[in-house]
Amino acid sequence: MTDETELPARDSMEYDVVIVGAGPAGLSAAIRLKQINAEISVVVVEKGSTVGAHILSGAVVDPIGLDRLLPDWREDPERPLKTMVTEDHFLVLGPSGGVTLPNWPLPKLMNNHGNFIGSLGATVRWLGAQAEALGVEIYPGFAATEVLYDDKGAVVGVATGDMGVGRDGKPKPSFTRGMELRGKYVLIAEGARGSLAKQLIARFQLDANRDPQKFGIGIKELWQIDPAKFRSGKVQHSFGWPLGSAASGGSFLYHYDDRLVSVGFVVHLNYTNPTLSPFDEFQRFKTHPMIRDTFEGGKRLAYGARAISSGGWQSVPRLTFPGGALLGCSAGFVNFARIKGSHNAVLSGIQAAEAAAAALAEGRANDELSAYEDGWRDSDIGKDLKKIRNVKPLWSKLGLGIGVPLGGIDMWTNELMGVSLFGTLKHGKADSDTLQPLSAVKPILYPKPDGKISFDKSSSVFLSNTNHEEDQPVHLRLADPAIPIRDNLPTYGEPARLYCPAGVYEVVYDDEKGRTNPRFVINAQNCVHCKTCDVKDPAHNITWTPPEGGGGPNYPDM
Ligand SMILES: Cc1cc2nc3c(=O)[nH]c(=O)nc-3n(C[C@H](O)[C@H](O)[C@H](O)COP(=O)(O)OP(=O)(O)OC[C@H]3O[C@@H](n4cnc5c(N)ncnc54)[C@H](O)[C@@H]3O)c2cc1C
Ligand code: SF4
């Protein structure tokens, strides 16, 4: 590794507001700042090669945020969300059949009528164009790798990563120094488990007196299906099979646009059986007799995965620190019961921007945007998250059969009377601490993929168009390189092999029977930036860091 002091100084640019991440949260903040005052200078950095390249979502979008940000968006012929929800189904699946639940017992907040189905990737590309038209500078292909502080400890900007660094950490002939982007306020909108957000939460103890943040891994495919099976506007969710009692989660399946079906599976990362593979659970789900037919004769177009935050109300950290704030999923604003977070990402962008614009108008800089922190629990975001705060703890503690119906009753009492029978339940352990040793579990065996409806990881990762410069430092950092083989392998069978949806982690041996000289291999170039390893490693040993800007998946409208 080259010592930082041996490198040339970084060039620096000054802005009023620096935003990290061109997702719905970051772009909404940028747009709102310019709407309030066109003179405010705003820059957005995005690690994906283009805006939208790293975005993966369902997505059924509650339009509350877009309606507030851009009230005329429904009139724009270029708008990305054109399919309205027409049918809304909840299935409970068993191994060979299932039941469709009637809609009437479901709380109103679970109703999807009035929402739109589409690609969140396409939506952020459209939001990016709106932001640029207002004068926002957006730089895709640049990862923010470092937070800059002043001598009092306030955040004063971010630095983008150096480009052209070799695997050995030394500059290559193509070396280019990163840039310093300095701002009066820095808004962190990196999505779930942001790498800078994680550092800021730890440094400013933003999670003190909060429950641990909880996560799921969402694995998604995009299909174009047989016209005879396509039902524009159909939304379907399921619980139950293939997950056993050791894990909770469920599927989503949305029909939109030109015969497109977005299908995915979320496994909550508090699962206990280390032989569980979220990827294989998803592949198995598609083979269920009530699901399979949708995909027969169709074509799989794309694949990807992303962590989704699910701790909600109890787990949202303090949002502000001197010089900046956390937005969207970096703050954990997902309504887990509705599997929706994009509306709150937009709303949080608006609220943070309004607090920052007011501070700038008063001549302030690099202090706390307290109005944003003080306002969110009484805002629409808080109201959305508070009503469902007990659904996940009930499900995790009591399982599908008892926990989910109790969660439903709790949502009703919250909706009708604004009260919960349970107060506010706690989430319990962090997701990294829930695995049981191999000796305590029954190994889960998965069927081989058929190559038509179910697939293997390598053909799937191929469809994520993932690409990284190979000659660069491994961006998945192990605090102690010995732990995977010394501790994780004997105790848990090294679960990274299974929870990583991109086959990044392998244990290889000298002999075919897998007995001698096990070694832990990291195929970093396959990484789809889902952040699951950063959440789930039982030894807290893996840290996801941003690779060279522009690397990672190139999702086509996911
Ligand atoms: C499988 C799945 C299904 C979902 N379904 C739905 C749904 O149906 N409806 C719904 O409303 N929500 C859904 N969600 C949640 C929704 O996608 C999120 O709530 C939303 O995307 C959060 O927006 P965000 O702007 O906070 O973060 P993101 O959308 O994650 O955007 C963050 C951006 O920041 C960039 N970035 C991150 N770190 C850096 C860095 N250091 N430097 C530069 N750039 C960086 C990323 O590349 C990305 O472009 C789903 C999520 C998943 C995973
Ligand atoms: S290496 Fe980690 S972040 Fe990358 S795809 Fe695998 S689990 Fe996700």
Side-chain angles (χ1 to χ4, degrees):
M1 290 276 174
T2 305
D3 189 329
E4 185 76 9
T5 54
E6 293 170 24
L7 295 171
R10 287 184 283 230
D11 284 340
S12 162
M13 287 165 81
E14 299 276 345
Y15 295 88
D16 291 317
V17 181
V18 175
I19 299 176
V20 179
L27 292 172
S28 301
I31 290 171
R32 189 73 192 114
L33 282 161
K34 285 290 192 185
Q35 287 171 336
I36 295 171
N37 181 353
E39 299 303 313
I40 297 175
S41 57
V42 184
V43 66
V44 182
V45 277
E46 166 54 51
K47 68 180 165 61
S49 61
T50 58
V51 171
H54 287 185
I55 299 289
L56 181 139
S57 191
V60 172
V61 176
D62 176 340
I64 180 173
L66 283 177
D67 287 344
R68 199 161 296 169
L69 183 70
L70 296 162
D72 297 332
W73 75 273
R74 294 169 196 240
E75 319 304 325
D76 183 345
E78 304 297 321
R79 71 193 183 283
L81 298 169
K82 290 189 172 138
T83 306
M84 286 203 81
V85 174
T86 54
E87 301 173 42
D88 202 2
H89 304 280
F90 277 90
L91 273 51
V92 180
L93 300 180
S96 55
V99 288
T100 303
L101 298 179
N103 281 358
W104 61 263
L106 298 172
K108 205 167 91 221
L109 63 92
M110 297 299 288
N111 183 351
N112 277 307
H113 291 279
N115 295 334
F116 289 81
I117 311 176
S119 150
L120 196 64
T123 304
V124 300
R125 268 211 309 285
W126 178 83
L127 282 173
Q130 311 298 312
E132 281 181 328
L134 291 167
V136 175
E137 289 177 40
I138 305 180
Y139 296 114
F142 290 91
T145 55
E146 202 182 315
V147 180
L148 306 173
Y149 301 93
D150 67 10
D151 49 14
K152 294 196 195 79
V155 172
V156 291
V158 295
T160 63
D162 296 338
M163 313 278 256
V165 179
R167 205 174 173 86
D168 55 4
K170 301 230 163 74
K172 297 186 285 187
S174 59
F175 179 78
T176 318
R177 194 77 167 107
M179 288 281 298
E180 287 189 358
L181 302 170
R182 293 181 166 265
K184 298 188 175 103
Y185 292 101
V186 176
L187 304 181
I188 302 291
E190 297 175 290
R193 196 63 164 197
S195 46
L196 299 186
K198 186 176 159 187
Q199 293 170 29
L200 289 161
I201 289 169
R203 183 180 175 113
F204 292 105
Q205 298 178 1
L206 302 176
D207 56 355
N209 307 318
R210 308 296 204 269
D211 276 14
Q213 185 53 272
K214 305 296 284 181
F215 296 91
I217 173 173
I219 305 180
K220 170 178 164 178
E221 292 175 354
L222 183 66
W223 285 69
Q224 191 160 43
I225 64 162
D226 179 347
K229 297 170 183 173
F230 180 68
R231 307 239 299 255
S232 182
K234 178 176 170 179
V235 164
Q236 181 179 296
H237 294 102
S238 76
F239 312 121
W241 194 88
L243 290 178
S245 57
S248 52
S251 76
F252 60 87
L253 198 153
Y254 309 144
H255 293 231
Y256 70 104
D257 283 8
D258 179 19
R259 295 183 286 122
L260 296 179
V261 166
S262 161
V263 57
F265 205 88
V266 176
V267 176
H268 303 157
L269 287 176
N270 59 358
Y271 67 82
T272 54
N273 187 330
T275 68
L276 186 144
S277 160
F279 173 87
D280 292 292
E281 296 291 341
F282 173 42
Q283 297 306 322
R284 235 173 13 157
F285 155 76
K286 286 181 289 165
T287 65
H288 189 275
M290 288 173 75
I291 305 297
R292 183 180 189 101
D293 182 56
T294 302
F295 302 104
E296 300 273 12
K299 184 168 188 247
R300 189 170 71 137
L301 304 177
Y303 168 86
R306 182 77 174 92
I308 177 168
S309 47
S310 56
W313 178 261
Q314 299 89 312
S315 303
V316 173
R318 181 174 175 80
L319 301 178
T320 56
F321 44 84
L326 305 175
L327 275 58
C329 280
S330 290
F333 283 146
V334 169
N335 182 318
F336 144 85
R338 301 171 72 201
I339 334 180
K340 288 184 187 58
S342 61
H343 61 303
N344 286 335
V346 173
L347 291 173
S348 74
I350 295 173
Q351 289 169 211
E354 288 174 351
L360 291 168
E362 289 168 17
R364 289 164 43 198
N366 307 114
D367 59 359
E368 288 225 15
L369 296 170
S370 308
Y372 175 51
E373 163 65 20
D374 295 344
W376 83 266
R377 286 191 193 265
D378 292 326
S379 74
D380 284 313
I381 304 176
K383 288 177 192 148
D384 189 46
L385 298 191
K386 191 169 185 191
K387 286 182 204 148
I388 60 101
R389 66 192 182 283
N390 290 325
V391 176
K392 180 161 169 74
L394 285 168
W395 193 352
S396 301
K397 287 182 177 71
L398 302 173
L400 181 67
I402 300 174
V404 170
L406 276 183
I409 293 168
D410 197 54
M411 282 193 278
W412 268 115
T413 61
N414 269 288
E415 195 159 294
L416 294 178
M417 297 174 277
V419 291
S420 166
L421 301 175
F422 305 99
T424 299
L425 294 173
K426 293 209 152 294
H427 282 305
K429 295 180 200 166
D431 295 330
S432 50
D433 303 339
T434 61
L435 286 180
Q436 294 182 349
L438 281 178
S439 55
V441 302
K442 190 168 164 227
I444 306 174
L445 301 173
Y446 293 99
K448 278 205 158 44
D450 61 18
K452 294 186 185 117
I453 304 291
S454 57
F455 302 93
D456 62 14
K457 275 189 194 168
S458 54
S459 66
S460 301
V461 176
F462 178 77
L463 288 182
S464 68
N465 301 312
T466 296
N467 187 27
H468 289 95
E469 163 61 49
E470 291 211 12
D471 186 12
Q472 64 171 304
V474 172
H475 70 277
L476 301 144
R477 308 262 165 88
L478 301 182
D480 179 350
I483 282 179
I485 299 300
R486 189 192 64 209
D487 302 344
N488 284 356
L489 187 61
T491 312
Y492 304 110
E494 184 42 87
R497 297 175 306 120
L498 297 171
Y499 61 62
C500 173
V504 168
Y505 301 106
E506 285 180 288
V507 176
V508 298
Y509 298 84
D510 280 350
D511 66 317
E512 280 181 10
K513 289 195 174 148
R515 291 200 182 127
T516 47
N517 193 20
R519 293 173 317 278
F520 190 59
V521 175
I522 303 179
N523 303 302
Q525 67 281 6
N526 282 358
C527 174
V528 295
H529 298 198
C530 74
K531 318 269 179 89
T532 302
C533 49
D534 196 291
V535 173
K536 187 65 180 167
D537 179 43
H540 309 188
N541 190 38
I542 304 177
T543 299
W544 186 96
T545 64
E548 195 169 292
N554 284 286
Y555 291 138
D557 288 352
M558 289 283 268

